[in-house]
Amino acid sequence: MKTLIRIFTSYSHLIAYTELWLFIGLVSAFDIYMSIKAQEYLFLIEMNPVGRWLIQRDGGDIALFMGVKTAGTVLSLGLLVWLYHLKKSWAWPSIVALSLVQLFVLWNLRQ
């Protein structure tokens, strides 16, 4: 019975981690979608100074910014998976912190 409880607990943790991981990816996808929809005036409303710099470097186009944004998301999600397998005690605070940041991004997109 203890083994079954241990397996269930491990499985529940994996499901929760996966849900947070998916939340991060989906918010990022929605953020990119909204950025593309607002591309004509994105430079004026973008709060990220790195994003504004990338738009300037690309002559006012948002393609470079969206590419870097996508690469950053893929890298972050990959690192979260790697961290979960390597050291769960570091993975949980990392994914919770990133989820909170994404929650702020989502809240900010609704403004």
Side-chain angles (χ1 to χ4, degrees):
M1 186 67 171
K2 287 182 180 180
T3 304
L4 186 59
I5 291 171
R6 199 173 319 134
I7 290 171
F8 180 74
T9 302
S10 293
Y11 187 67
S12 297
H13 287 163
L14 179 60
I15 290 172
Y17 197 85
T18 302
E19 288 171 342
L20 290 174
W21 189 87
L22 287 170
F23 174 74
I24 291 166
L26 291 172
V27 170
S28 180
F30 183 65
D31 182 31
I32 290 170
Y33 167 77
M34 293 303 291
S35 296
I36 291 170
K37 291 288 278 184
Q39 65 183 312
E40 293 158 5
Y41 54 92
L42 183 63
F43 184 80
L44 300 173
I45 62 171
E46 181 59 46
M47 289 190 263
N48 182 349
V50 175
R52 291 174 60 93
W53 181 78
L54 288 169
I55 293 170
Q56 283 180 325
R57 294 289 76 75
D58 206 14
D61 194 40
I62 66 165
L64 177 62
F65 182 33
M66 294 303 105
V68 170
K69 208 174 207 183
T70 302
T73 299
V74 169
L75 179 64
S76 297
L77 292 174
L79 286 172
L80 286 170
V81 170
W82 178 72
L83 199 54
Y84 185 81
H85 291 290
L86 181 71
K87 192 148 181 100
K88 288 183 179 75
S89 64
W90 292 359
W92 278 102
S94 300
I95 200 164
V96 168
L98 196 49
S99 294
L100 290 173
V101 168
Q102 289 297 81
L103 190 60
F104 175 75
V105 168
L106 188 60
W107 176 78
N108 210 18
L109 285 173
R110 294 188 43 109
Q111 299 302 320

